[in-house]
């Protein structure tokens, strides 16, 4: 299974996602794409098999991913304080991959019905969702 993890800013969430996927799915190949080098390096430290940075990397990697995981902002143009370009959002949205988007209420994107659930709880749900896909 080819899992694409996309994150921006400092990459802390992306690193946690990569670590959880790698520790739960030994056969998963995890490609981490950061919107900036800081995020990419953080996800590399989390154990990603492949890393890349920037818009073109998101566009290319989204085409071959089986699963895409990241904050919901990766599918919304100009989110993450402008780090997600319209091309990135389009690539995520148009990908045939299953998308597992983490509903963080940040960057003026609010998700109705999402209470104050911890990031840890949401990441546990990411792992459970990937397990159902396999």
């Amino acid at each position: 299974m080819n899992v694409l993890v996309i994150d921006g800013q400092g990459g802390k969430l992306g690193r946690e996602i990569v670590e959880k996927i790698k520790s739960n799915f030994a056969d998963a190949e995890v490609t981490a794409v950061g919107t900036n080098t800081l995020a990419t390096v953080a996800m590399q430290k989390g154990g990603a098999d492949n890393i890349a940075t920037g818009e073109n990397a998101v566009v290319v990697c989204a085409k071959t991913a089986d699963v895409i995981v990241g904050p919901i902002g990766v599918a919304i143009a100009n989110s993450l304080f402008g780090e997600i370009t319209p091309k990135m959002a389009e690539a995520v949205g148009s990908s045939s991959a299953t998308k597992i988007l983490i509903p963080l209420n940040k960057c003026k994107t609010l998700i109705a019905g999402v209470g104050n659930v911890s990031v840890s709880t949401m990441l546990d749900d990411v792992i459970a969702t990937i397990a159902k896909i396999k």
Side-chain angles (χ1 to χ4, degrees):
M1 176 181 295
N2 182 5
V3 181
L4 172 60
V5 178
I6 305 170
D7 197 17
Q9 302 291 293
K12 182 179 175 191
L13 178 64
R15 179 179 179 159
E16 289 182 62
I17 295 168
V18 170
E19 289 171 348
K20 283 199 172 274
I21 292 170
K22 294 302 289 180
S23 67
N24 284 276
F25 305 104
D27 60 334
E29 178 155 339
V30 178
T31 299
V33 176
T35 60
N36 60 65
T37 51
L38 188 61
T40 303
V41 169
M43 292 187 285
Q44 180 182 32
K45 290 178 181 176
D49 298 299
N50 310 294
I51 59 166
T53 303
E55 178 182 83
N56 196 58
V58 171
V59 171
V60 170
C61 294
K63 291 177 184 176
T64 58
D66 297 312
V67 177
I68 297 173
V69 183
I72 196 164
V74 302
I76 301 171
N78 303 313
S79 65
L80 298 181
F81 299 103
E83 290 188 7
I84 301 298
T85 67
K87 283 185 180 179
M88 291 170 154
E90 181 180 4
V92 170
S94 299
S95 175
S96 63
T98 299
K99 294 137 196 103
I100 304 173
L101 303 175
I102 300 166
L104 299 177
N105 288 325
K106 292 186 176 182
C107 299
K108 295 191 177 190
T109 300
L110 305 176
I111 299 97
V114 176
N116 290 328
V117 179
S118 72
V119 170
S120 177
T121 298
M122 288 189 275
L123 293 182
D124 290 343
D125 191 49
V126 168
I127 299 304
T129 303
I130 293 172
K132 289 177 189 174
I133 295 168
K134 289 187 77 174

